[in-house]
Amino acid sequence: MSDKKENLDMPLGEFREVGKKLVDWSADYLDNLETFDVLPKIKPGDVKSKLPQNAPQKSESFEEIINDLDKIILPGITHWQHPNFMAYFASTASGPGILADLISSALNVNGMIWRTSPALTELEQTVLVWYQKMLGIPNSFKGIVYDTASVSTLHAIASAREYLQAGIREKGMSGAPKLRLYCSEHAHNSIDKSCLTLGLGLDGIKKILSDENFSMIPEELENAIKDDRANGILPVCVVATIGTTSSTAVDPVDKIAEICERENIWLHVDMAYAGVTAMLPEMKTYFDRIEKADSIVSNPHKWLFVPIDFSTLYIRNPEVLKRAFSLSAEYLKTAEDSVAENYMDYGIQLGRRFRALKLWFVIRYFGVEGLQERVREHIRIAGLVAKWIDESENFERLAPTPFSTVCFRAKPKSISDENTLNELNEKLISEVNATGKVLLSHTKLNGKFTIRLVISGIRQEERHAEEVWKLLKETLKNII
Ligand SMILES: *Cc1c(COP(=O)(O)O)cnc(C)c1O
């Protein structure tokens, strides 16, 4: 204790000792993952009730802090790192990614402008070019890192709005013509949130009908644009999704791009989850014509083993993004402004953390081939699950499985009523999740309660999929 008083920060001897302990803690955690229930068996408020309501007035020891980490926090954790976390889009952090986060915090640099940390800016530029080449995005695009796809997309749509040159930057939205954005009815609701934020409003979104595979119908898009133009509404942006959130459907980017080119409308491609599969030659078919997009979002924090948060936006005409957001404040002017990139000019935020370290560590540690192998293996395992379902008498698949997400439901021969099937599947997923052995999530497709099983975690092997499939079959037997 007296030692602490003499030091302004934690003494370095203690930092080393505790740091090593916490690296061991992390390794033990990863080693013991499979002993935890994926979803904690607790109620809302349980964690809070164990925490003191006031901050400690006096210094506490790290021993006490770690003790509470084990006793209060860990039992309240949903284990995203667990190999049987197969819900949402399973996102995992790899060893090198975790360690990069530690270094990023140790350096604690703020990359608002080039001078405030040249290596942050230049490493971000370099690894984003690596990743861009891995995905086959032409080098004419410029990449930038944001925290999440929601924020990447917000910046893309802000660029689309600026691209109109409708004077909105100066005068705001009140004098602007009515604007419309188009996306499929299955697009992620981050698009809606961007429209809320940017003043387009929910009325500013037109959801385009999709076909039986949940892909946007280009003719419907064409008609919607025509109708709007006839009514004096100005089209601002089309969002095409490769890998929708519900069923991982793929919108026909080639046809949509043709329409956007002809109509001179900004095309944003949302491939937050599925984008990483563009690394694989056999998956290229899903990414046909992405080079026609004006902006593309892909999330390494989803399926490339980079700890959350890490989203990339690639933009064909970065000057438009810069036009939308750059302001120059006297205290931020530097001698290098004409030759160096200042990231503050490309978005809302001034401060930015050193995220590029995470992707740099991860790509170097696994190598492009190592990453390709892992993603390819996930697609293979998901394909197996799809096959088991197709071959089973009591289950059916409810959507194509182009990536690593399987959409299905139980459908015993004896039941044909849709409401009864929905209730049965709701019961099935809740019983299966209540075992703690797995976490699955759900969606609705054509009114059918749909179970989603996702394979995209770095620790997922075929045996985990087998275990979950067995559990689903056994649980179903017990509830029908
Ligand atoms: C996950 C996802 C998003 C949102 O991602 P965040 O990084 O959590 O904002 C957006 N679009 C698609 C297609 C997604 O899969």
Side-chain angles (χ1 to χ4, degrees):
M1 280 296 152
S2 63
D3 187 25
K4 273 195 181 177
K5 279 186 207 142
E6 285 154 23
N7 283 277
L8 295 175
D9 190 11
M10 185 182 197
L12 288 175
E14 186 187 3
F15 179 82
R16 268 180 222 284
E17 197 185 307
V18 177
K20 284 170 188 161
K21 241 188 232 167
L22 285 177
V23 168
D24 277 339
W25 186 98
S26 305
D28 288 342
Y29 171 65
L30 296 174
D31 199 23
N32 294 326
L33 273 173
E34 294 187 46
T35 65
F36 293 100
D37 286 345
V38 187
L39 189 68
K41 290 191 171 113
I42 60 169
K43 296 185 304 301
D46 279 359
V47 175
K48 220 155 69 178
S49 71
K50 291 192 198 123
L51 294 165
Q53 294 307 302
N54 295 303
Q57 294 298 321
K58 301 267 190 252
S59 165
E60 292 187 275
S61 72
F62 240 98
E63 211 178 321
E64 291 167 282
I65 301 173
I66 296 175
N67 198 25
D68 285 347
L69 175 68
D70 286 327
K71 276 224 221 76
I72 304 173
I73 304 301
L74 205 50
I77 290 289
T78 299
H79 298 281
W80 283 72
Q81 297 276 52
H82 195 301
N84 286 352
F85 184 106
M86 298 179 183
Y88 314 107
F89 284 127
S91 311
T92 48
S94 59
I98 298 168
L99 296 173
D101 250 349
L102 174 65
I103 302 304
S104 173
S105 292
L107 294 171
N108 192 42
V109 289
N110 183 337
M112 48 198 202
I113 53 180
W114 179 85
R115 173 184 279 189
T116 58
S117 203
L120 181 155
T121 301
E122 295 185 20
L123 185 70
E124 180 164 329
Q125 290 169 340
T126 305
V127 290
L128 285 195
V129 170
W130 288 5
Y131 185 54
Q132 172 169 12
K133 289 181 184 164
M134 286 160 66
L135 302 192
I137 297 172
N139 58 15
S140 52
F141 282 69
K142 175 194 163 66
I144 179 160
V145 177
Y146 296 110
D147 52 1
T148 56
S150 307
V151 170
S152 292
T153 291
L154 175 73
H155 285 88
I157 299 173
S159 304
R161 197 180 67 170
E162 180 58 31
Y163 178 70
L164 295 174
Q165 303 233 6
I168 295 167
R169 185 189 147 104
E170 289 72 31
K171 291 182 290 206
M173 286 290 276
S174 46
K178 185 161 173 57
L179 306 180
R180 193 93 81 191
L181 172 145
Y182 311 83
C183 59
S184 114
E185 51 186 327
H186 296 283
H188 191 266
N189 71 11
S190 56
I191 319 289
D192 307 55
K193 283 203 182 169
S194 292
C195 290
L196 291 177
T197 310
L198 293 166
L200 274 79
L202 294 177
D203 276 354
I205 310 171
K206 176 84 186 161
K207 301 267 165 106
I208 306 295
L209 276 182
S210 50
D211 65 15
E212 71 283 2
N213 290 327
F214 313 105
S215 313
M216 192 198 289
I217 303 172
E219 293 73 26
E220 295 279 340
L221 171 66
E222 227 167 354
N223 292 338
I225 293 171
K226 207 184 287 169
D227 283 356
D228 277 351
R229 286 221 197 268
N231 290 309
I233 297 171
L234 191 55
V236 55
C237 182
V238 175
V239 179
T241 310
I242 301 178
T244 58
T245 313
S246 252
S247 75
T248 70
V250 180
D251 289 334
V253 173
D254 52 346
K255 294 205 183 92
I256 294 171
E258 244 172 60
I259 298 170
C260 289
E261 203 163 32
R262 198 165 59 234
E263 298 277 344
N264 193 22
I265 305 174
W266 188 281
L267 172 59
H268 176 58
V269 171
D270 181 359
M271 46 186 225
Y273 151 73
V276 296
T277 67
M279 290 190 298
L280 304 175
E282 67 271 26
M283 301 299 278
K284 287 287 179 214
T285 141
Y286 297 115
F287 300 90
D288 196 22
R289 302 268 164 234
I290 52 164
E291 73 279 3
K292 296 278 184 191
D294 293 285
S295 51
I296 302 170
V297 57
S298 160
N299 272 9
H301 80 217
K302 260 191 184 155
W303 193 1
L304 208 69
F305 325 124
V306 172
I308 193 165
D309 45 15
F310 198 116
S311 174
T312 58
L313 179 70
Y314 287 96
I315 191 150
R316 184 142 58 106
N317 188 348
E319 284 311 306
V320 181
L321 174 64
K322 197 169 174 181
R323 219 164 65 207
F325 287 103
S326 65
L327 296 164
S328 65
E330 190 53 40
Y331 56 90
L332 292 169
K333 284 188 182 145
T334 66
E336 301 87 13
D337 287 351
S338 59
V339 286
E341 193 101 272
N342 293 324
Y343 272 127
M344 66 168 183
D345 291 335
Y346 294 91
I348 294 170
Q349 65 190 86
L350 173 62
R352 69 195 283 113
R353 61 188 258 108
F354 199 169
R355 290 199 184 86
L357 268 180
K358 296 193 276 195
L359 188 56
W360 192 51
F361 274 33
V362 167
I363 295 178
R364 291 189 64 182
Y365 183 81
F366 294 107
V368 176
E369 287 175 14
L371 293 169
Q372 285 171 320
E373 277 163 28
R374 284 165 175 80
V375 169
R376 184 176 280 134
E377 175 66 0
H378 293 157
I379 297 171
R380 187 190 71 82
I381 298 171
L384 270 182
V385 176
K387 182 169 150 278
W388 297 334
I389 290 165
D390 291 348
E391 288 169 359
S392 152
E393 296 215 313
N394 291 322
F395 288 86
E396 68 174 1
R397 210 138 53 89
L398 293 176
T401 307
F403 305 106
S404 67
T405 301
V406 192
C407 293
F408 65 98
R409 68 172 177 177
K411 190 181 180 303
K413 276 217 175 78
S414 54
I415 308 176
S416 57
D417 178 67
E418 285 297 328
N419 283 336
T420 316
L421 281 169
N422 283 351
E423 280 163 23
L424 177 75
N425 279 281
E426 224 173 315
K427 181 143 194 245
L428 175 63
I429 195 173
S430 84
E431 299 241 334
V432 164
N433 285 342
T435 64
K437 293 201 174 87
V438 62
L439 187 64
L440 299 170
S441 58
H442 75 276
T443 185
K444 271 232 164 112
L445 294 173
N446 294 329
K448 295 173 184 169
F449 188 96
T450 306
I451 302 177
R452 291 166 77 265
L453 184 155
V454 183
I455 307 286
S456 55
I458 194 159
R459 293 165 204 89
Q460 288 177 323
E461 301 167 35
E462 191 175 323
R463 67 184 170 93
H464 299 110
E466 274 169 359
E467 182 192 342
V468 172
W469 176 232
K470 206 168 137 208
L471 182 65
L472 278 161
K473 286 189 295 185
E474 279 167 8
T475 310
L476 177 66
K477 239 188 251 161
N478 294 335
I479 62 172
I480 43 177

